[in-house]
Amino acid sequence: LPESENWYRRGLKNALQINEAYSSCLLSTFLAFVLLKQKKYSEVAPCLRRAFSLQRNRRIPGCSAMIWVVLGYVRLSQVLASYGPDRYVKLADVLDTSVKMQLFSTRSAVEHALSIPGTDIEIKAEAELLQAHISLFLVSLEEALAQAAAVFEHAGQHELKWIAERAEMLIESLQAMKVVQH
């Protein structure tokens, strides 16, 4: 991740220098995702603001869905971070109003991403994987499992190995939760 961050930063710097909006928008979005994965939360928001601003001002097709997906991951991470290591057990049992609102906001971001026509297959798969996480808390464990399995199958069909691996990890976690609940 640190190496990816460095490459994204270098690419973004170059894209901004030559005023290349499409690359600047995508690189800002991907940088935000990498920063989120490294828990560099304070650096994520400026990247997403830049990406949204570029996309909105320049009407860049193809960037919007990924920006919404990354925003969804940011919102989900905020919810999960506030509950500690046993977050799934706690969240599944008790959702206070503010957490529910944040999860509804996350779901809204994902739905927005999925509604954008012409979205790349891998971005749709990312959105659907995020949707499975949200379903665990807002719908049911069974629905989350079904969605994660669909993402795993879809990702496998399109050779999206990294998404298939993450979907498989989610499936395993959800199955373990199912065993614990019974």
Side-chain angles (χ1 to χ4, degrees):
L1 288 174
E3 187 177 345
S4 295
E5 176 188 348
N6 289 333
W7 281 106
Y8 284 133
R9 286 190 188 280
R10 289 172 54 190
L12 179 59
K13 180 181 175 188
N14 291 335
L16 290 170
Q17 283 178 344
I18 62 170
N19 201 25
E20 212 297 298
Y22 180 77
S23 296
S24 297
C25 185
L26 279 181
L27 290 168
S28 291
T29 305
F30 294 144
L31 177 58
F33 192 67
V34 168
L35 292 169
L36 177 66
K37 290 296 181 187
Q38 295 180 86
K39 297 180 171 80
K40 294 182 177 181
Y41 302 120
S42 65
E43 298 178 53
V44 173
C47 290
L48 283 179
R49 276 194 296 275
R50 180 186 306 113
F52 268 119
S53 177
L54 285 164
Q55 192 282 325
R56 185 178 49 251
N57 294 337
R58 305 269 178 97
R59 305 268 189 254
I60 302 169
C63 293
S64 186
M66 188 60 191
I67 298 169
W68 284 104
V69 169
V70 173
L71 180 61
Y73 274 113
V74 168
R75 290 174 176 166
L76 180 64
S77 294
Q78 290 169 335
V79 169
L80 296 178
S82 67
Y83 280 88
D86 57 346
R87 59 187 170 242
Y88 288 108
V89 173
K90 286 181 182 176
L91 276 173
D93 291 340
V94 179
L95 287 176
D96 64 38
T97 304
S98 65
V99 171
K100 280 185 180 178
M101 294 306 293
Q102 192 137 17
L103 287 166
F104 286 132
S105 178
T106 304
R107 183 170 66 184
S108 177
V110 172
E111 289 170 352
H112 189 74
L114 289 170
S115 72
I116 297 171
T119 300
D120 291 342
I121 292 169
E122 57 195 291
I123 295 171
K124 279 188 177 183
E126 281 287 354
E128 290 166 351
L129 184 60
L130 181 53
Q131 198 170 37
H133 281 278
I134 297 163
S135 290
L136 172 62
F137 308 118
L138 295 180
V139 183
S140 69
L141 176 59
E142 289 74 23
E143 180 65 22
L145 258 169
Q147 288 176 343
V151 171
F152 178 73
E153 185 178 323
H154 184 241
Q157 290 171 349
H158 294 283
E159 299 180 12
L160 303 172
K161 185 178 179 181
W162 62 98
I163 296 173
E165 288 172 358
R166 289 181 23 239
E168 186 174 32
M169 287 175 20
L170 179 58
I171 291 166
E172 290 170 359
S173 296
L174 294 173
Q175 287 173 335
M177 284 180 64
K178 196 172 185 178
V179 168
V180 169
Q181 286 182 350
H182 292 148

